[in-house]
Every structure is written in C-alpha cells, then in structure tokens.
Amino acid sequence: MSPAAAGIETPGAIPASSSRLVELVFPGDTNHHGTLFGGAGLAMMDRVAFIAATRHGRVPFVTASCERVDFQGPARVGELVELVARIARVGRKSMAVDVEMIAEGLLGGARRLCTRGAFNMVAVPEDKAPGWRLPPLGDVAAEPAGGLRASDIVFADQANSFGRLFGGEALAAMTKAAFVAATRHSRRIAVLAASERVDFRAPVAVGSIVDTVAEVVEVGRTSMTVAVELWSEDLMSGRRTLTASGRFVMVAVDGSDRPVPVARNEAVENPS
C-alpha cells in the first residue's frame, strides 16, 4: 500500500496494462432467471472501455461501435463480476478496446468467462492542432501485484451541489472493496464489523476516475483488517490524488451469521 499522507499527488496514468471494473451482481440488476441483464453487462463493458481509452489518449472519447460481443455464460445474483479492458489497436483518432467480463463465485472462488467484445472508441479532442493524433500503443506495463485494484467513474448522481463526490459514496466504494478483498482472502461470507478510521483528504470532481486499492493487512481468528485507499484521477491530465484512506474490520460468518475461523495467509501475520 502507498503512504497515506494528505494531498499526495502523482502525475501520469497508473502503471498497469489494463483497466478493471469490479461489481457485485444484485437482484435489481438481474432478470427473472436471477442472471445479470445483458444490457447491464454491456453498460459496464462500455464504461471500462471508456476508462481504458481515456487513460491512453487523455482526451474526451465517445463510443463509435461495439462488435464481436459474445455472451458465453450468465453472471448470477451474488456473484462478483470483474471487467478487464485492454487496448488492442490505436489509430489516428480511434482505438479498439477489448473487454472481458469474468464472473467469480465469492465463496468457491471459481471464475468463468461470461462475455467478451470489442469497443471502438473515437477521440473528440478539444483545442488540438489539425495534425494531432493519439499516442501509439507502447510497451505493456506489468500488472501491480497483490490486493484488489478497481476503477470507476464519478457521475453527477453521486455528487453534491458543488459537483463533488458525496462522502457516503466514497465510503460505499471503500467498504465494497474491503468486502471483496476479505471475501477473496477467506472465501467465506464477510460482514463489516467496524471502521477503525477513515480520513478524507481531498475532494473528487464529477467526471473523475476513482481507483480503490484494498489489501488484507491483519488476520485474527475470525476477523480481517483491510486497508483501503481511494485515489482520484483527472481524466485529461492523468494527475492522481490520494483522496481517502481507511481501515475496515471484516468478520467471517456462516449462514447463521455466527463468526467462523479465517484461514491464515502466510503473508499476513499480524493478528487483530
């Protein structure tokens, strides 16, 4: 985890070869069969394609088309879906982004490909010279190791009257990340027991990318402490700011909501 100092800023894009969006499938997102609506899945795929395109070009983008969309299997209520976007081709003012949606059973950990497709994104640059073009596709950077890393965009309905992300929305994103990290660690139902401390360090404007970074840092008999950072990223400049950080205590429970032991991870040795 990176240091939690107020106002930390870093220029440029994140050092990763892909952009990832992580969501949980809730009943309101599903059809009468209890599986994710195809349209809801496509909306998530388009969102992560936009994030990937913008991080590469640092100009506004619109979706021109999607093609070769192949629905191979459903995502079911209670599962996690991870959407991974990778830039496949870059032209003068357009690019192709390949997106995969992978479903994951929270308790068993089994993963399967649900949907893949290609999204063609077109840049709509402002105040650029006539000969401007997108930067070429460079070397693929290594994926950061360990923990959960997920991206999303801040929309207007998540903001206050000043156009800044509500604190409650930030907390929701952070606790979701803590839940996913703790569940993946224990492969048991994990519930929020306490928040040790959350520091809000900087505002997040509508239209920003937000990254949640979560890692299990302490494991007790039935509890896990998850450290979470929320980073904001300006779409056009790529400047990243640590906007919030916190520690969340998650407890593993059984089907009757009784605490159950957590399997130890050799990399996490500090008991809570």
Side-chain angles (χ1 to χ4, degrees):
M1 303 286 285
S2 54
I8 290 180
E9 294 188 355
T10 60
I14 60 170
S17 62
S18 61
S19 291
R20 294 172 184 268
L21 173 69
V22 174
E23 292 285 0
L24 293 163
V25 180
F26 293 110
D29 300 317
T30 62
N31 56 30
H32 59 290
H33 299 295
T35 59
L36 183 68
F37 279 118
L42 284 171
M44 288 187 272
M45 294 173 74
D46 181 61
R47 202 157 87 227
V48 75
F50 171 82
I51 292 172
T54 304
R55 279 180 160 161
H56 180 85
R58 295 302 175 191
V59 294
F61 277 87
V62 295
T63 305
S65 64
C66 57
E67 57 186 0
R68 304 192 307 278
V69 178
D70 183 13
F71 292 92
Q72 299 193 11
R76 299 182 176 87
V77 168
E79 291 185 322
L80 178 147
V81 286
E82 184 171 19
L83 297 103
V84 184
R86 297 181 176 89
I87 298 170
R89 183 179 68 257
V90 177
R92 191 170 70 87
K93 290 187 179 180
S94 65
M95 68 174 65
V97 183
D98 289 340
V99 181
E100 291 184 339
M101 181 169 69
I102 300 162
E104 178 180 327
L106 286 174
L107 302 186
R111 290 165 62 87
R112 65 185 185 281
L113 178 65
C114 290
T115 311
R116 60 158 53 104
F119 287 74
N120 298 308
M121 315 297 293
V122 174
V124 285
E126 302 171 353
D127 303 323
K128 297 291 185 181
W132 176 89
R133 63 175 298 147
L134 287 167
L137 189 59
D139 295 334
V140 176
E143 294 281 355
L148 170 74
R149 289 168 173 81
S151 303
D152 211 336
I153 302 173
V154 177
F155 294 106
D157 63 353
Q158 299 172 294
N160 58 27
S161 57
F162 299 103
R164 299 294 184 265
L165 180 69
F166 277 121
E169 293 284 352
L171 285 170
M174 295 172 76
T175 54
K176 181 175 76 171
F179 166 79
V180 173
T183 304
R184 279 179 164 174
H185 178 92
S186 64
R187 291 303 174 191
R188 293 187 178 275
I189 302 169
V191 296
L192 179 64
S195 170
E196 292 184 355
R197 179 185 177 94
V198 177
D199 292 312
F200 296 96
R201 305 173 182 279
V204 184
V206 169
S208 300
I209 294 172
V210 288
D211 284 329
T212 47
V213 183
E215 185 176 359
V216 176
V217 293
E218 295 180 9
V219 177
R221 192 179 72 85
T222 63
S223 67
M224 296 157 282
T225 299
V226 185
V228 182
E229 293 178 346
L230 185 72
W231 289 80
S232 64
E233 179 179 327
D234 181 78
L235 281 175
M236 299 299 101
S237 70
R239 182 166 295 279
R240 291 169 55 79
T241 304
L242 177 61
T243 59
S245 60
R247 290 164 63 93
F248 300 87
V249 179
M250 311 295 294
V251 173
V253 297
D254 61 17
S256 300
D257 295 326
R258 293 187 295 249
V260 292
V262 175
R264 281 204 172 275
N265 184 330
E266 293 181 0
V268 183
E269 287 295 330
N270 299 320
S272 57

Short mmCIF file of all heavy atoms in Angstrom, two decimals, residues 152-155 157-160 164-178 192 195 197-205 210-214 228-232 242-248:
data_model
loop_
_atom_site.label_atom_id
_atom_site.label_comp_id
_atom_site.label_asym_id
_atom_site.label_seq_id
_atom_site.Cartn_x
_atom_site.Cartn_y
_atom_site.Cartn_z
N ASP A 152 -13.47 3.15 -11.50
CA ASP A 152 -14.82 3.54 -11.89
C ASP A 152 -14.81 5.03 -12.20
O ASP A 152 -13.77 5.69 -12.08
CB ASP A 152 -15.84 3.21 -10.81
CG ASP A 152 -17.22 2.88 -11.38
OD1 ASP A 152 -17.52 3.33 -12.51
OD2 ASP A 152 -17.99 2.18 -10.71
N ILE A 153 -15.98 5.57 -12.56
CA ILE A 153 -16.12 6.99 -12.89
C ILE A 153 -17.14 7.60 -11.95
O ILE A 153 -18.13 6.96 -11.58
CB ILE A 153 -16.57 7.17 -14.35
CG1 ILE A 153 -15.58 6.51 -15.30
CG2 ILE A 153 -16.70 8.65 -14.70
CD1 ILE A 153 -16.05 6.50 -16.74
N VAL A 154 -16.92 8.85 -11.56
CA VAL A 154 -17.87 9.57 -10.71
C VAL A 154 -18.90 10.27 -11.60
O VAL A 154 -18.55 11.09 -12.45
CB VAL A 154 -17.15 10.61 -9.84
CG1 VAL A 154 -18.16 11.41 -9.01
CG2 VAL A 154 -16.13 9.93 -8.92
N PHE A 155 -20.17 9.92 -11.39
CA PHE A 155 -21.27 10.53 -12.16
C PHE A 155 -21.99 11.57 -11.31
O PHE A 155 -21.83 11.63 -10.08
CB PHE A 155 -22.24 9.44 -12.63
CG PHE A 155 -21.63 8.50 -13.63
CD1 PHE A 155 -21.29 7.21 -13.25
CD2 PHE A 155 -21.40 8.90 -14.93
CE1 PHE A 155 -20.73 6.32 -14.18
CE2 PHE A 155 -20.84 8.03 -15.86
CZ PHE A 155 -20.50 6.74 -15.48
N ASP A 157 -25.04 11.90 -10.31
CA ASP A 157 -25.96 11.48 -9.25
C ASP A 157 -25.23 11.00 -7.99
O ASP A 157 -25.87 10.67 -6.99
CB ASP A 157 -26.91 10.40 -9.75
CG ASP A 157 -26.20 9.13 -10.17
OD1 ASP A 157 -24.95 9.11 -10.21
OD2 ASP A 157 -26.88 8.13 -10.48
N GLN A 158 -23.91 10.98 -8.02
CA GLN A 158 -23.12 10.62 -6.84
C GLN A 158 -22.54 11.84 -6.15
O GLN A 158 -21.77 11.72 -5.19
CB GLN A 158 -21.98 9.68 -7.24
CG GLN A 158 -22.43 8.37 -7.86
CD GLN A 158 -21.26 7.58 -8.42
OE1 GLN A 158 -20.60 7.99 -9.37
NE2 GLN A 158 -20.98 6.45 -7.80
N ALA A 159 -22.88 13.03 -6.64
CA ALA A 159 -22.22 14.25 -6.18
C ALA A 159 -23.17 15.17 -5.44
O ALA A 159 -24.40 15.07 -5.56
CB ALA A 159 -21.60 14.98 -7.37
N ASN A 160 -22.59 16.11 -4.69
CA ASN A 160 -23.37 17.13 -4.01
C ASN A 160 -23.60 18.32 -4.93
O ASN A 160 -23.24 18.29 -6.12
CB ASN A 160 -22.67 17.56 -2.71
CG ASN A 160 -21.26 18.10 -2.96
OD1 ASN A 160 -20.94 18.62 -4.03
ND2 ASN A 160 -20.41 17.99 -1.95
N ARG A 164 -19.05 17.63 -6.25
CA ARG A 164 -18.01 16.82 -5.63
C ARG A 164 -18.63 15.53 -5.09
O ARG A 164 -19.77 15.52 -4.62
CB ARG A 164 -17.33 17.58 -4.49
CG ARG A 164 -16.62 18.85 -4.93
CD ARG A 164 -15.43 18.53 -5.83
NE ARG A 164 -14.67 19.71 -6.19
CZ ARG A 164 -14.84 20.41 -7.31
NH1 ARG A 164 -15.79 20.04 -8.17
NH2 ARG A 164 -14.10 21.46 -7.59
N LEU A 165 -17.89 14.46 -5.11
CA LEU A 165 -18.38 13.15 -4.67
C LEU A 165 -18.83 13.21 -3.22
O LEU A 165 -18.12 13.71 -2.34
CB LEU A 165 -17.26 12.11 -4.82
CG LEU A 165 -17.57 10.67 -4.41
CD1 LEU A 165 -18.57 10.04 -5.38
CD2 LEU A 165 -16.28 9.85 -4.36
N PHE A 166 -20.04 12.69 -2.95
CA PHE A 166 -20.53 12.57 -1.58
C PHE A 166 -19.57 11.68 -0.77
O PHE A 166 -19.08 10.67 -1.26
CB PHE A 166 -21.91 11.92 -1.55
CG PHE A 166 -23.05 12.87 -1.80
CD1 PHE A 166 -23.90 12.66 -2.86
CD2 PHE A 166 -23.28 13.95 -0.96
CE1 PHE A 166 -24.97 13.52 -3.09
CE2 PHE A 166 -24.34 14.81 -1.18
CZ PHE A 166 -25.19 14.60 -2.25
N GLY A 167 -19.38 12.05 0.51
CA GLY A 167 -18.57 11.21 1.38
C GLY A 167 -19.16 9.82 1.53
O GLY A 167 -18.42 8.82 1.59
N GLY A 168 -20.49 9.73 1.57
CA GLY A 168 -21.13 8.42 1.68
C GLY A 168 -20.86 7.53 0.48
O GLY A 168 -20.71 6.31 0.62
N GLU A 169 -20.80 8.12 -0.71
CA GLU A 169 -20.48 7.34 -1.91
C GLU A 169 -19.04 6.85 -1.86
O GLU A 169 -18.73 5.72 -2.28
CB GLU A 169 -20.70 8.20 -3.16
CG GLU A 169 -22.14 8.58 -3.42
CD GLU A 169 -22.95 7.43 -4.00
OE1 GLU A 169 -22.37 6.40 -4.34
OE2 GLU A 169 -24.18 7.60 -4.11
N ALA A 170 -18.14 7.68 -1.34
CA ALA A 170 -16.75 7.25 -1.19
C ALA A 170 -16.66 6.09 -0.20
O ALA A 170 -15.95 5.10 -0.44
CB ALA A 170 -15.88 8.42 -0.72
N LEU A 171 -17.40 6.20 0.91
CA LEU A 171 -17.41 5.12 1.89
C LEU A 171 -17.98 3.84 1.30
O LEU A 171 -17.50 2.73 1.59
CB LEU A 171 -18.21 5.54 3.12
CG LEU A 171 -17.54 6.52 4.08
CD1 LEU A 171 -18.54 7.02 5.11
CD2 LEU A 171 -16.33 5.87 4.76
N ALA A 172 -19.03 3.96 0.48
CA ALA A 172 -19.61 2.78 -0.15
C ALA A 172 -18.61 2.08 -1.04
O ALA A 172 -18.49 0.84 -1.02
CB ALA A 172 -20.85 3.17 -0.95
N ALA A 173 -17.84 2.85 -1.82
CA ALA A 173 -16.83 2.25 -2.69
C ALA A 173 -15.73 1.58 -1.88
O ALA A 173 -15.26 0.49 -2.23
CB ALA A 173 -16.24 3.32 -3.61
N MET A 174 -15.34 2.21 -0.78
CA MET A 174 -14.26 1.66 0.04
C MET A 174 -14.70 0.39 0.77
O MET A 174 -13.94 -0.58 0.85
CB MET A 174 -13.77 2.73 1.02
CG MET A 174 -13.12 3.93 0.33
SD MET A 174 -12.74 5.29 1.46
CE MET A 174 -11.27 4.64 2.29
N THR A 175 -15.93 0.41 1.30
CA THR A 175 -16.39 -0.80 2.01
C THR A 175 -16.65 -1.95 1.05
O THR A 175 -16.46 -3.11 1.41
CB THR A 175 -17.65 -0.50 2.84
OG1 THR A 175 -18.65 0.08 2.00
CG2 THR A 175 -17.33 0.46 3.98
N LYS A 176 -17.08 -1.63 -0.18
CA LYS A 176 -17.24 -2.70 -1.18
C LYS A 176 -15.90 -3.34 -1.48
O LYS A 176 -15.77 -4.57 -1.56
CB LYS A 176 -17.87 -2.15 -2.46
CG LYS A 176 -18.07 -3.23 -3.52
CD LYS A 176 -18.79 -2.70 -4.75
CE LYS A 176 -17.88 -1.86 -5.62
NZ LYS A 176 -18.53 -1.51 -6.92
N ALA A 177 -14.87 -2.51 -1.61
CA ALA A 177 -13.53 -3.03 -1.87
C ALA A 177 -13.05 -3.88 -0.69
O ALA A 177 -12.43 -4.94 -0.88
CB ALA A 177 -12.56 -1.89 -2.14
N ALA A 178 -13.33 -3.42 0.53
CA ALA A 178 -12.94 -4.19 1.71
C ALA A 178 -13.66 -5.53 1.75
O ALA A 178 -13.07 -6.57 2.08
CB ALA A 178 -13.24 -3.39 2.98
N LEU A 192 -19.09 -6.33 7.62
CA LEU A 192 -18.38 -5.21 8.21
C LEU A 192 -18.68 -5.13 9.69
O LEU A 192 -19.84 -5.02 10.11
CB LEU A 192 -18.79 -3.91 7.51
CG LEU A 192 -18.16 -2.61 8.03
CD1 LEU A 192 -16.65 -2.63 7.79
CD2 LEU A 192 -18.79 -1.41 7.33
N SER A 195 -15.17 0.25 11.50
CA SER A 195 -14.25 1.07 10.72
C SER A 195 -13.32 1.74 11.72
O SER A 195 -13.77 2.54 12.56
CB SER A 195 -15.02 2.12 9.91
OG SER A 195 -14.12 3.05 9.34
N ARG A 197 -10.79 3.86 11.21
CA ARG A 197 -10.59 5.28 10.93
C ARG A 197 -10.67 5.48 9.42
O ARG A 197 -10.15 4.68 8.65
CB ARG A 197 -9.22 5.75 11.45
CG ARG A 197 -8.93 7.23 11.18
CD ARG A 197 -7.51 7.59 11.61
NE ARG A 197 -7.21 8.97 11.31
CZ ARG A 197 -7.35 9.99 12.16
NH1 ARG A 197 -7.80 9.74 13.38
NH2 ARG A 197 -7.04 11.22 11.82
N VAL A 198 -11.31 6.57 9.02
CA VAL A 198 -11.34 6.96 7.61
C VAL A 198 -10.97 8.43 7.53
O VAL A 198 -11.57 9.27 8.22
CB VAL A 198 -12.72 6.73 6.97
CG1 VAL A 198 -12.71 7.22 5.52
CG2 VAL A 198 -13.12 5.27 7.03
N ASP A 199 -9.97 8.74 6.74
CA ASP A 199 -9.53 10.13 6.54
C ASP A 199 -9.88 10.56 5.13
O ASP A 199 -9.47 9.92 4.14
CB ASP A 199 -8.01 10.25 6.74
CG ASP A 199 -7.61 10.03 8.18
OD1 ASP A 199 -8.25 10.63 9.07
OD2 ASP A 199 -6.66 9.26 8.42
N PHE A 200 -10.65 11.66 5.02
CA PHE A 200 -10.95 12.27 3.73
C PHE A 200 -9.96 13.40 3.50
O PHE A 200 -9.91 14.35 4.28
CB PHE A 200 -12.40 12.79 3.71
CG PHE A 200 -13.42 11.70 3.83
CD1 PHE A 200 -13.98 11.38 5.06
CD2 PHE A 200 -13.81 10.97 2.71
CE1 PHE A 200 -14.93 10.36 5.18
CE2 PHE A 200 -14.75 9.94 2.82
CZ PHE A 200 -15.30 9.65 4.05
N ARG A 201 -9.20 13.31 2.43
CA ARG A 201 -8.06 14.19 2.24
C ARG A 201 -8.25 15.23 1.14
O ARG A 201 -7.63 16.29 1.18
CB ARG A 201 -6.81 13.35 1.95
CG ARG A 201 -6.55 12.31 3.02
CD ARG A 201 -5.41 11.37 2.66
NE ARG A 201 -5.24 10.35 3.69
CZ ARG A 201 -4.59 10.53 4.82
NH1 ARG A 201 -4.04 11.71 5.08
NH2 ARG A 201 -4.48 9.57 5.70
N ALA A 202 -9.05 14.91 0.15
CA ALA A 202 -9.22 15.83 -0.97
C ALA A 202 -10.56 15.53 -1.64
O ALA A 202 -11.04 14.40 -1.61
CB ALA A 202 -8.08 15.67 -1.98
N PRO A 203 -11.19 16.54 -2.27
CA PRO A 203 -12.47 16.31 -2.96
C PRO A 203 -12.25 15.60 -4.28
O PRO A 203 -11.15 15.60 -4.85
CB PRO A 203 -13.01 17.73 -3.17
CG PRO A 203 -11.79 18.58 -3.26
CD PRO A 203 -10.79 17.96 -2.32
N VAL A 204 -13.33 14.97 -4.77
CA VAL A 204 -13.30 14.28 -6.06
C VAL A 204 -14.37 14.90 -6.96
O VAL A 204 -15.55 14.90 -6.61
CB VAL A 204 -13.58 12.76 -5.89
CG1 VAL A 204 -13.44 12.06 -7.24
CG2 VAL A 204 -12.65 12.16 -4.86
N ALA A 205 -13.95 15.41 -8.10
CA ALA A 205 -14.88 16.09 -9.00
C ALA A 205 -15.65 15.09 -9.86
O ALA A 205 -15.16 13.99 -10.16
CB ALA A 205 -14.12 17.06 -9.91
N VAL A 210 -12.05 7.07 -10.31
CA VAL A 210 -11.67 6.73 -8.94
C VAL A 210 -11.16 5.29 -8.92
O VAL A 210 -11.74 4.41 -9.55
CB VAL A 210 -12.83 6.92 -7.94
CG1 VAL A 210 -13.11 8.38 -7.70
CG2 VAL A 210 -14.09 6.20 -8.38
N ASP A 211 -10.07 5.10 -8.23
CA ASP A 211 -9.48 3.77 -8.04
C ASP A 211 -9.58 3.40 -6.57
O ASP A 211 -9.22 4.21 -5.70
CB ASP A 211 -8.01 3.75 -8.44
CG ASP A 211 -7.80 3.74 -9.93
OD1 ASP A 211 -8.65 3.20 -10.64
OD2 ASP A 211 -6.77 4.28 -10.38
N THR A 212 -10.05 2.20 -6.29
CA THR A 212 -9.98 1.66 -4.94
C THR A 212 -8.89 0.60 -4.89
O THR A 212 -8.81 -0.26 -5.77
CB THR A 212 -11.33 1.05 -4.49
OG1 THR A 212 -11.84 0.21 -5.53
CG2 THR A 212 -12.34 2.14 -4.18
N VAL A 213 -8.05 0.70 -3.87
CA VAL A 213 -6.97 -0.24 -3.67
C VAL A 213 -7.14 -0.83 -2.28
O VAL A 213 -7.12 -0.09 -1.29
CB VAL A 213 -5.59 0.45 -3.79
CG1 VAL A 213 -4.46 -0.56 -3.64
CG2 VAL A 213 -5.47 1.20 -5.10
N ALA A 214 -7.37 -2.12 -2.19
CA ALA A 214 -7.67 -2.76 -0.91
C ALA A 214 -6.76 -3.96 -0.69
O ALA A 214 -6.50 -4.73 -1.62
CB ALA A 214 -9.13 -3.20 -0.86
N VAL A 228 -7.73 0.29 2.93
CA VAL A 228 -8.29 0.71 1.64
C VAL A 228 -7.87 2.14 1.35
O VAL A 228 -7.93 3.01 2.23
CB VAL A 228 -9.83 0.62 1.64
CG1 VAL A 228 -10.39 1.02 0.28
CG2 VAL A 228 -10.30 -0.78 2.01
N GLU A 229 -7.45 2.37 0.13
CA GLU A 229 -7.18 3.72 -0.36
C GLU A 229 -8.11 4.04 -1.51
O GLU A 229 -8.42 3.16 -2.34
CB GLU A 229 -5.73 3.86 -0.82
CG GLU A 229 -4.72 3.75 0.30
CD GLU A 229 -3.29 3.85 -0.19
OE1 GLU A 229 -3.07 3.73 -1.42
OE2 GLU A 229 -2.39 4.01 0.64
N LEU A 230 -8.56 5.27 -1.59
CA LEU A 230 -9.36 5.76 -2.70
C LEU A 230 -8.57 6.86 -3.39
O LEU A 230 -8.25 7.88 -2.78
CB LEU A 230 -10.70 6.31 -2.20
CG LEU A 230 -11.69 6.74 -3.29
CD1 LEU A 230 -12.28 5.52 -4.00
CD2 LEU A 230 -12.82 7.58 -2.70
N TRP A 231 -8.23 6.61 -4.65
CA TRP A 231 -7.47 7.57 -5.44
C TRP A 231 -8.39 8.19 -6.50
O TRP A 231 -9.22 7.50 -7.09
CB TRP A 231 -6.30 6.88 -6.15
CG TRP A 231 -5.21 6.47 -5.22
CD1 TRP A 231 -5.17 5.36 -4.43
CD2 TRP A 231 -3.98 7.15 -5.02
NE1 TRP A 231 -4.00 5.31 -3.73
CE2 TRP A 231 -3.23 6.39 -4.08
CE3 TRP A 231 -3.41 8.31 -5.55
CZ2 TRP A 231 -1.97 6.77 -3.63
CZ3 TRP A 231 -2.14 8.69 -5.12
CH2 TRP A 231 -1.44 7.93 -4.18
N SER A 232 -8.23 9.47 -6.73
CA SER A 232 -8.95 10.12 -7.84
C SER A 232 -7.94 10.44 -8.94
O SER A 232 -6.76 10.69 -8.67
CB SER A 232 -9.65 11.39 -7.38
OG SER A 232 -8.72 12.36 -6.94
N LEU A 242 -4.45 11.01 -3.72
CA LEU A 242 -5.00 10.15 -2.68
C LEU A 242 -6.09 10.94 -1.97
O LEU A 242 -5.82 11.91 -1.27
CB LEU A 242 -3.90 9.74 -1.70
CG LEU A 242 -4.35 8.88 -0.51
CD1 LEU A 242 -4.97 7.57 -0.98
CD2 LEU A 242 -3.18 8.62 0.43
N THR A 243 -7.33 10.54 -2.15
CA THR A 243 -8.45 11.32 -1.64
C THR A 243 -9.00 10.80 -0.33
O THR A 243 -9.59 11.56 0.44
CB THR A 243 -9.58 11.39 -2.67
OG1 THR A 243 -10.01 10.07 -2.98
CG2 THR A 243 -9.10 12.06 -3.94
N ALA A 244 -8.85 9.52 -0.04
CA ALA A 244 -9.34 8.97 1.22
C ALA A 244 -8.58 7.68 1.52
O ALA A 244 -8.13 6.98 0.61
CB ALA A 244 -10.84 8.68 1.15
N SER A 245 -8.47 7.39 2.80
CA SER A 245 -7.84 6.14 3.22
C SER A 245 -8.51 5.68 4.51
O SER A 245 -9.00 6.51 5.30
CB SER A 245 -6.34 6.30 3.42
OG SER A 245 -6.07 7.28 4.42
N GLY A 246 -8.56 4.39 4.72
CA GLY A 246 -9.21 3.89 5.92
C GLY A 246 -8.89 2.43 6.16
O GLY A 246 -8.31 1.75 5.31
N ARG A 247 -9.26 1.96 7.34
CA ARG A 247 -9.08 0.56 7.72
C ARG A 247 -10.43 0.03 8.18
O ARG A 247 -11.13 0.67 8.98
CB ARG A 247 -8.03 0.43 8.84
CG ARG A 247 -6.61 0.73 8.36
CD ARG A 247 -5.67 0.96 9.54
NE ARG A 247 -5.53 -0.21 10.39
CZ ARG A 247 -4.57 -1.13 10.25
NH1 ARG A 247 -3.68 -1.01 9.27
NH2 ARG A 247 -4.49 -2.14 11.07
N PHE A 248 -10.78 -1.14 7.66
CA PHE A 248 -12.10 -1.72 7.92
C PHE A 248 -11.91 -3.13 8.48
O PHE A 248 -11.13 -3.91 7.95
CB PHE A 248 -12.93 -1.77 6.64
CG PHE A 248 -13.17 -0.42 6.03
CD1 PHE A 248 -12.25 0.14 5.15
CD2 PHE A 248 -14.31 0.32 6.35
CE1 PHE A 248 -12.45 1.39 4.59
CE2 PHE A 248 -14.52 1.57 5.80
CZ PHE A 248 -13.60 2.11 4.92
#
